[in-house]
Amino acid sequence: MVKPPTSRSTVPAPGRLGLVEPTAPEELQRLGWNDADSVELLWALSRAANADLALRTLARLADSLGDEGWAELDAALRADKGLRGRLFGLFGASSAFGDHVVANPAGWRLLEGSLDLPDKHTFTARMLDSVGGYPEPGGRVGRLLYRAEITGPAAVAALRTAYRDQLMIIAAADLAATVENEPVLPYLEAGALLADLADAALTAALAVAVSTVVPDEPCPIHLAVIAMGKCGARELNYVSDVDVVFVAEPADARASRIAGEMMRIGTSAFFEVDAALRPEGKRGELVRTLESHIAYYNRWAKTWEFQALLKARPMAGDFDLGRRYVEALSPMVWTASEREDFVPEVQAMRRRVEDLVPAELQERELKLGRGSIRDVEFAVQLLQLVHGRVDESLRVPNTVEALGALADGGYIGRDDAANLRASYEFLRLLEHRLQLQRLKRTHTLPPADDREALRWLARASHMRADGRKDALGVLESEIKRNSSRVRKLHAKLFYRPLLESVSKLDKEAVRLSPDAAVRQLAALGYSAPSHALDHLTALSGGASRKARIQAMLLPQLLEYLADTVDPDAGLLAYRRLSDALYDTVWFLRVLRDEPAVAERLMTVLGSSAYVSDLLVKSPEVLRLYADGPTGPRLLEPNPPEVARALVASSSRYGDPARAILAARSLRRAELARIASADILGMLDVPQVCEALSTVWAGVLEAALTAVIRASESSRGPAPARIAVIGMGRLGGAELGYGSDADVLFVCEPHADADDTDAVKWATTVAEQVRKFLGAPSTDPPLEVDLNLRPEGRSGPLVRTLTSYEAYYTQWAEVWEVQALLRAHAVAGDPDLGTRFLRMIDKVRYPEGGLSQEAVREIRRIKARVDSERLPRGADPATHTKLGRGGLADIEWTVQLLQLQHAHHIEALHNTSTLETLDAIGAAELISAGDVELLRDAWITATSARNALVLVRGKRTDQLPGPGRLLTAVARVTGWQGEDASEYLDHYLRVTRRARAVVERVFGA
C-alpha cells in the first residue's frame, strides 16, 4: 500500500536558519515566530551575523517590554523592513548594543521609520538636552559655551545613555545592509558621523564641567577644544581614544580645572579623552594660551608633532579661538619636511609603531602591523607633508580625501589611489566590526583557529559566498589580498611615479615634475636627491629589456634602501654593480625571482662601503644571498674548506704573482661573504673573527707555497723547511676586518744544507711573501707585520728554531714573552710549527709563574701604552682598541693572568681571549661577574671596531659622535634601538664597567 505524500512545512527548522543553540526553538515559540506568517522574519533573522545572539537578545527584549510592548515591536518588525534590518543587524553583530536596548527597552523606537541620520547640530542638541544644557548667559556668537543643569554622577549616567543611543543609531544604519536590502553606509559618512557625535558629546561634557567648576558666576574662560588624530580628520572609529588639545584665554588654574573635569566626564561617559598630543606631552601643561602654543611649535616641536597638527580642527568650546589656533599653526605643518631631522624621525616613528606589535600578532594586527591601516596613513601623510608645501590642494586631514587629492595632483596613480582606498576602507570596516561586538577598543583579528569568531566577522562585514568559498573563505582571502596590497604601498606610492618620470615606459602613467621628484627623494632619506634621480635615470632610462626590468625592480629595491642609513651610497653602489654586471643574464633575474636576495643586497649596499666595493669585483657572491634547503646560503661555505680551496686554486699557477692574484680573488669573495652575513645578522662576533683569521691563514699558506714552488723551479730543491707562526689577533683567531697579520717566520735547514745559505734562502722567501701580499691593490690590505720578531725591526726576518730557542731562553724581555701567549702555527711546515710551539711553551708559561718584578714591568709598559700609543685627538672613552675598557685593556688583563697562573692551570694554555676568559672563570681566578663584564666589553668593542670598517670601508678604531655615521655603525652591530646615542651610552657603560674590573685585577 502506497502512503499518501505528506506536505512539507513552510516554516524552516532552526537548523536551516543557522540557529544552533538548544534554546532556539523555545525562544522562537516565546516570540510567536514559529508559524507560516513569520517565515519572512525568520529568514531575515538567519542573515544576522550571529543569528543565535540576535534571537537571544530579542527574547530578552520581549521580556523587558512585556506582552503589550512586545506586540507593538513585533508588529513593527513585520511591517518595517528597515527596522528589521537595523535591529537584527545590530543584535547579531553587537552584544553590547543588545544589552543597551534590553536595559532601555524603548530605545528600539530610535531605529524605526525612514531613519534620517542626525547631523552634528542634532547630535549636539540631543546630548545637551540629556543634561539640561543651555547657552552660557551673555555669551557671544562663536563662543559656543554651554552650561548644564545636571552635574555630578547623574550627569555622567545621563550622558552615557544619550551617547550610547546616538551611537546605536549610527551602528544600526551601518549594519542594516547585512540583513535587508538597505543602503550601505559609506565609510566616509560613518567616520564623519562618529566624529560629529564625539564633538557633540564633548560639548555636553564641557557644559557639565563649566557648571561644576564655575557654578555661580559667568565663566570668564575662553576655552577651545581642538580635535586631533582620527577625530580631527573626521574618520573616527566606533571605539577609540579621542585626542584633544586645549587652548584657553587666560590659561589659568580655573581653565585647567574645566579642561580636566571635561576629560574626566568624557572618559567616564563616552570614550578615553587623551590630551597626550599637547606640547611636551603628558609632562606639559594641560592648558596653554594661543601665544604659548605658537612659541612652543616655533622653538621646540618635533616632526611628529607637526605631523599630528595636520589633522587638527576645532571641535568644542570657543570656535573663534579654535580657528585662530588652527590658522596660526597650520602653516608650520607644511614646512616640517624641510627640517633636517624630518626623514629619520618619520622613519623611526613608523618602526617604533611596528616594534610595539608582538611578533605573534603581526599578521592579526589591523592597525599597527605590516600591511595595516597605519601603513596607509603614514604613507599618505608623508606624501602630503612633502608636496603640500607647494600644493595647497593636498592640505586635507582625512586619509581617503588626501588619497584623492594626491591622485588629482599627479603624485600617485589613480588606480593606485583607488586600490589603496579600497584596501584602507576594508581594513577599517573590519576594525569597526570588531569594536562593535562588545564596544571595546580592539584592532586584532581573531586567531586563525577560532573559526566561529572569524565566521561571525565575515557575516558582520557582509561577506558572501562566491561559489567557490563560503563567507569565511572569502574573508580570509580578502584579508590576505588587501594586506599584501598595502604592504606594497611604499613601492607604489613613493617610487613608481619617480621611475615613470625617468623611464617614460608608460604613456598613461603619473609622472612627477623634476622638482617634485627631488622633493620626494629628499623626503625618503636621500641627502643628494638630484644625484639619486640621475642614478635612476641611468638605470631605468631607455627602451632596452634590461632598463624595463630595472624599472620593474627599482620600486621595491628603493624601498629596501630607504630603510638603510645611507640610501645615497646604496643607490650609487647598486648602479656600479649593475654597470659591472651589464652583460650578465643572471643578475637581474636573481633579483626578480629571489625577493630575499633583493632585500639582503639593498640592506648590505646601504650599510657598508666595504662590502659594496668587494661585490663589484666578486659579484658571484650575490648567488649566496639566496636561501638554500637548510637556510641562508651565505652560511653554507665552511671557512677551513674555503682556505684549502684558496691554496689549491693558487697552486695551478707557476708564477707566484699570478698564484697570489688567484688567492686574492678567492679571499675577496670570502671577505664579501663573511661581511655580508655579518651585516645581515647571520654570524656573531667570534664566528666572524674566526672566519677572517682562517682566510688570512689560507692566504699566507698560498703565498708561501707559491714562492717556494717558484724558487724550487728556478734554483732547485729548497734548503730548509719554513713555518709561519701567527701572533696577536691572527694567532688568537680574532682578526677583524681592519687587522694586519702579525707573524714570525721560523726555518730549519735540511740535513745536507748549509745553515747560512738556508737562512738566507728563507729570508728571501719571507721577503717575497711580504712583498707579494703587500703589493698595492684596491682590495682590503694584506699587510704582513714582522715587528713582533726577536729584537723587533732591527732583528733578522727569519731565524732557525735553534736560534729562537737560544734568544727566548737568554734574552727575551717581558713584552716578548707576553706576545708569545698568542703564538700559533698558521702556515708552512706543520711539524716545524708544532715543535716551535712546544719550544716556547716553557717560555710563555714559565715555571712558578711570573715574578713580581716582571708583573711591575708589564704594568709599567701598559701605563706607557695608555699614555703614548693613543692617537692625538682620540677620545679615550670611545677608542675601541686603546680606549678605557677597550680591547687592549681586556687582552692585557687576560694575558697577565695567564702569565701568573698558566704554569699550574693547563686550561690557560690558549691563544683565544674569550676561551681563556672562560678558563679564568672556571678556575675562579676572578669572579664570574667580572669575567662576564670583560667578555661583554671585548665583544662590544670588537663588534664596534668591525662595524667601523664595514661602514667606512677603511681602518679606524675611533667611534664617532652622534650623527649618521654613528647610526650606521650602531645598525651594523645589530643595535635594535632607534637612537644611536643610546648605542653610544651602551658602549660607554659596558666599557666603563670593564675598566673598573681591569683596574682592580690588572692593578692589584
Side-chain angles (χ1 to χ4, degrees):
M1 179 176 178
V2 180
K3 293 183 179 180
T6 57
S7 59
R8 184 177 181 182
S9 173
T10 59
V11 180
R16 289 186 65 202
L17 298 171
L19 297 168
V20 297
E21 293 291 334
T23 56
E26 179 187 343
E27 288 166 343
L28 289 172
Q29 185 174 2
R30 189 170 4 142
L31 297 179
W33 287 6
N34 54 356
D35 56 19
D37 293 336
S38 304
V39 170
E40 189 175 345
L41 281 175
L42 293 172
W43 284 119
L45 179 67
S46 73
R47 294 190 289 270
N50 184 335
D52 281 300
L53 175 62
L55 177 60
R56 191 181 319 121
T57 305
L58 285 164
R60 292 168 58 211
L61 179 56
D63 290 342
S64 295
L65 287 167
D67 291 343
E68 186 175 340
W70 170 247
E72 184 180 2
L73 174 56
D74 179 67
L77 288 171
R78 294 173 186 275
D80 185 349
K81 282 190 176 183
L83 172 63
R84 190 189 309 160
R86 290 186 281 274
L87 203 64
F88 289 3
L90 189 72
F91 286 175
S94 176
S95 60
F97 275 123
D99 292 343
H100 175 70
V101 177
V102 170
N104 303 275
W108 69 266
R109 298 181 184 280
L110 295 171
L111 307 181
E112 66 179 336
S114 60
L115 192 67
D116 292 328
L117 288 168
D119 58 14
K120 182 173 181 177
H121 176 76
T122 304
F123 279 140
T124 303
R126 290 175 180 176
M127 293 305 301
L128 286 170
D129 285 348
S130 70
V131 288
Y134 59 93
E136 169 76 1
R140 58 176 170 75
V141 175
R143 191 179 184 196
L144 295 180
L145 194 64
Y146 299 86
R147 285 183 172 275
E149 293 177 346
I150 303 174
T151 59
V156 171
L159 287 171
R160 183 183 296 116
T161 299
Y163 176 76
R164 191 63 63 89
D165 280 344
Q166 303 310 305
L167 192 64
M168 178 183 70
I169 292 171
I170 301 172
D174 197 4
L175 291 161
T178 64
V179 173
E180 295 289 1
N181 188 23
E182 289 290 297
V184 173
L185 185 65
Y187 162 75
L188 277 176
E189 188 176 346
L193 285 166
L194 292 167
D196 288 346
L197 177 56
D199 291 3
L202 289 187
T203 297
L206 181 58
V208 177
V210 169
S211 294
T212 302
V213 177
V214 193
D216 302 321
E217 57 179 297
C219 180
I221 308 298
H222 294 269
L223 180 69
V225 185
I226 309 297
M228 309 287 280
K230 283 187 169 62
C231 188
R234 300 186 78 235
E235 51 188 4
L236 195 59
N237 298 336
Y238 279 98
V239 184
S240 174
D241 292 353
V242 171
D243 297 303
V244 299
V245 169
F246 295 103
V247 192
E249 305 287 353
D252 56 14
R254 191 178 297 184
S256 293
R257 285 181 60 204
I258 293 173
E261 186 68 9
M262 188 207 84
M263 289 179 64
R264 185 191 66 78
I265 294 166
T267 298
S268 299
F270 319 127
F271 37 68
E272 185 75 25
V273 183
D274 191 344
L277 292 180
R278 66 185 183 268
E280 300 179 80
K282 293 182 179 179
R283 296 177 290 109
E285 294 291 335
L286 182 61
V287 176
R288 288 176 181 253
T289 64
L290 176 57
E291 182 182 357
S292 175
H293 276 286
I294 293 171
Y296 174 84
Y297 282 101
N298 271 325
R299 188 169 184 183
W300 304 111
K302 296 181 179 179
T303 297
W304 70 265
E305 292 177 283
F306 290 110
Q307 189 174 355
L309 280 176
L310 195 154
K311 297 182 180 294
R313 67 171 178 83
M315 71 179 303
D318 193 322
F319 266 60
D320 286 342
L321 179 58
R323 277 191 288 268
R324 283 189 282 128
Y325 170 91
V326 172
E327 288 168 1
L329 297 183
S330 287
M332 300 182 191
V333 173
W334 307 108
T335 59
S337 64
E338 299 173 353
R339 293 160 61 96
E340 185 177 345
D341 56 359
F342 174 74
V343 175
E345 280 197 19
V346 170
Q347 292 175 337
M349 182 162 46
R350 181 65 190 110
R351 281 194 291 268
R352 278 198 299 274
V353 168
E354 285 187 354
D355 290 344
L356 292 174
V357 183
E360 64 273 15
L361 295 181
Q362 280 284 352
E363 298 302 317
R364 293 169 49 204
E365 175 58 52
L366 289 171
K367 181 179 179 182
L368 305 178
R370 293 192 64 200
S372 67
I373 290 167
R374 190 56 57 89
D375 272 336
V376 180
E377 292 171 345
F378 262 69
V380 170
Q381 289 169 29
L382 183 56
L383 285 173
Q384 285 181 275
L385 291 170
V386 170
H387 300 295
R389 180 169 55 88
V390 295
D391 188 345
E392 294 187 7
S393 70
L394 303 182
R395 300 180 183 183
V396 292
N398 184 280
T399 301
V400 169
E401 292 173 355
L403 264 173
L406 287 165
D408 291 342
Y411 301 101
I412 61 176
R414 290 192 179 278
D415 286 346
D416 294 341
N419 286 333
L420 275 170
R421 173 175 179 167
S423 291
Y424 180 69
E425 292 187 1
F426 172 75
L427 295 174
R428 291 297 303 273
L429 171 68
L430 297 185
E431 180 185 40
H432 282 183
R433 295 299 180 261
L434 288 167
Q435 292 177 348
L436 280 173
Q437 191 173 25
R438 295 181 180 85
L439 285 185
K440 298 292 185 184
R441 186 183 179 205
T442 181
H443 320 284
T444 307
L445 290 167
D449 58 358
D450 191 345
R451 311 305 286 172
E452 280 305 309
L454 286 167
R455 188 169 286 107
W456 165 85
L457 180 59
R459 291 169 62 86
S461 304
H462 210 185
M463 297 288 122
R464 292 291 180 260
D466 63 1
R468 293 176 300 165
K469 305 185 188 77
D470 62 6
L472 175 55
V474 171
L475 173 69
E476 290 175 327
S477 64
E478 282 296 295
I479 289 172
K480 290 178 183 176
R481 185 174 69 87
N482 284 281
S483 294
S484 175
R485 187 158 65 180
V486 171
R487 282 192 189 106
K488 299 173 183 176
L489 69 93
H490 287 286
K492 295 290 279 181
L493 265 66
F494 295 136
Y495 302 110
R496 179 55 64 190
L498 289 170
L499 266 295
E500 294 294 354
S501 297
V502 298
S503 63
K504 300 181 176 59
L505 295 178
D506 184 352
K507 292 181 180 179
E508 304 300 321
V510 169
R511 292 195 183 93
L512 299 177
S513 68
D515 287 344
V518 167
R519 280 200 309 272
Q520 194 147 309
L521 282 165
L524 292 166
Y526 290 86
S527 56
S530 297
H531 292 163
L533 199 60
D534 291 342
H535 297 323
L536 296 182
T537 304
L539 286 164
S540 62
S544 69
R545 183 171 181 274
K546 289 187 185 319
R548 289 196 299 272
I549 296 174
Q550 288 280 21
M552 180 185 70
L553 291 173
L554 276 166
Q556 189 63 66
L557 300 183
L558 291 170
E559 184 176 4
Y560 294 145
L561 272 180
D563 286 334
T564 66
V565 176
D566 196 349
D568 292 87
L571 183 56
L572 173 60
Y574 179 69
R575 180 180 174 183
R576 289 174 57 214
L577 190 59
S578 295
D579 289 345
L581 295 173
Y582 185 81
D583 293 328
T584 64
V585 296
W586 60 267
F587 173 55
L588 294 179
R589 186 177 66 242
V590 167
L591 294 183
R592 182 192 63 198
D593 298 340
E594 299 275 0
V597 174
E599 183 172 5
R600 288 165 182 167
L601 176 60
M602 294 303 110
T603 300
V604 168
L605 294 182
S607 304
S608 173
Y610 181 90
V611 185
S612 297
D613 289 340
L614 290 172
L615 287 177
V616 170
K617 299 165 194 168
S618 298
E620 67 278 4
V621 176
L622 289 174
R623 297 179 185 274
L624 298 179
Y625 277 45
D627 287 323
T630 59
R633 293 190 60 206
L634 282 168
L635 301 181
E636 287 179 357
N638 180 274
E641 291 177 1
V642 172
R644 287 193 291 271
L646 192 149
V647 175
S649 174
S650 64
S651 67
R652 300 191 186 102
Y653 301 95
D655 180 2
R658 293 188 65 190
I660 292 173
L661 278 177
R664 277 182 178 277
S665 177
L666 282 176
R667 169 187 180 257
R668 185 190 310 129
E670 183 64 358
L671 288 179
R673 180 193 72 82
I674 296 166
S676 297
D678 187 3
I679 292 167
L680 295 169
M682 299 175 183
L683 296 174
D684 60 24
V685 171
Q687 288 172 322
V688 168
C689 293
E690 183 179 2
L692 292 172
S693 302
T694 303
V695 172
W696 241 119
V699 170
L700 283 168
E701 183 70 53
L704 181 64
T705 302
V707 170
I708 292 174
R709 187 170 59 249
S711 172
E712 288 182 325
S713 66
S714 61
R715 301 180 184 179
R721 294 186 290 178
I722 300 178
V724 183
I725 308 300
M727 305 289 283
R729 298 188 192 289
L730 176 59
E734 294 169 347
L735 284 180
Y737 296 106
S739 301
D740 293 338
D742 293 305
V743 300
L744 302 177
F745 282 93
V746 57
C747 74
E748 184 175 64
H750 290 306
D752 57 348
D754 180 76
D755 284 7
T756 302
D757 291 341
V759 171
K760 184 176 179 181
W761 174 83
T763 300
T764 301
V765 169
E767 287 175 337
Q768 287 187 306
V769 167
R770 186 165 64 165
K771 174 187 171 185
F772 279 123
L773 292 180
S777 169
T778 56
D779 288 343
L782 275 165
E783 296 293 334
V784 177
D785 191 335
L786 294 164
N787 290 336
L788 292 179
R789 66 186 185 271
E791 301 179 74
R793 293 180 181 177
S794 59
L797 290 181
V798 183
R799 289 175 181 259
T800 64
L801 181 61
T802 304
S803 174
Y804 273 114
E805 184 172 20
Y807 177 85
Y808 285 131
T809 302
Q810 299 180 53
W811 308 107
E813 298 183 24
V814 171
W815 71 266
E816 292 178 296
V817 174
Q818 183 181 349
L820 290 175
L821 288 172
R822 306 183 81 175
H824 186 74
V826 295
D829 188 281
D831 177 65
L832 178 58
T834 301
R835 286 189 284 123
F836 176 89
L837 297 180
R838 288 174 179 164
M839 178 271 293
I840 63 170
D841 277 353
K842 56 182 177 290
V843 178
R844 58 181 174 176
Y845 309 131
E847 189 66 33
L850 211 58
S851 67
Q852 285 303 310
E853 181 182 354
V855 171
R856 285 193 294 271
E857 176 63 10
I858 287 177
R859 289 173 178 159
R860 185 192 67 78
I861 296 172
K862 175 67 166 61
R864 184 177 174 185
V865 167
D866 286 348
S867 62
E868 296 179 4
R869 292 275 305 279
L870 196 69
R872 180 173 297 183
D875 183 352
T878 54
H879 195 276
T880 58
K881 181 178 180 181
L882 301 173
R884 294 190 288 268
L887 293 174
D889 266 358
I890 282 80
E891 288 165 1
W892 279 69
T893 301
V894 168
Q895 289 160 20
L896 177 61
L897 290 169
Q898 282 182 284
L899 291 169
Q900 290 174 316
H901 301 282
H903 66 286
H904 66 92
I905 302 175
E906 190 171 348
L908 297 181
H909 296 192
N910 198 314
T911 61
S912 162
T913 302
L914 293 182
E915 292 176 11
T916 304
L917 264 174
D918 289 340
I920 288 170
E924 299 183 350
L925 300 179
I926 60 176
S927 71
D930 285 350
V931 167
E932 194 55 38
L933 290 175
L934 294 178
R935 167 187 288 278
D936 195 11
W938 190 91
I939 288 177
T940 300
T942 301
S943 175
R945 193 175 186 225
N946 281 345
L948 281 164
V949 178
L950 290 174
V951 169
R952 301 189 65 181
K954 57 185 179 181
R955 300 181 187 185
T956 181
D957 295 312
Q958 180 71 62
L959 276 177
R964 176 173 279 197
L965 181 57
L966 180 64
T967 301
V969 170
R971 193 83 68 84
V972 168
T973 64
W975 180 252
Q976 297 298 315
E978 293 293 344
D979 188 353
S981 296
E982 294 178 1
Y983 168 75
L984 191 58
D985 291 342
H986 167 75
Y987 179 90
L988 292 171
R989 182 168 57 252
V990 168
T991 53
R992 184 173 61 249
R993 291 172 177 171
R995 177 70 175 196
V997 177
V998 169
E999 290 175 346
R1000 187 167 62 251
V1001 176
F1002 192 87

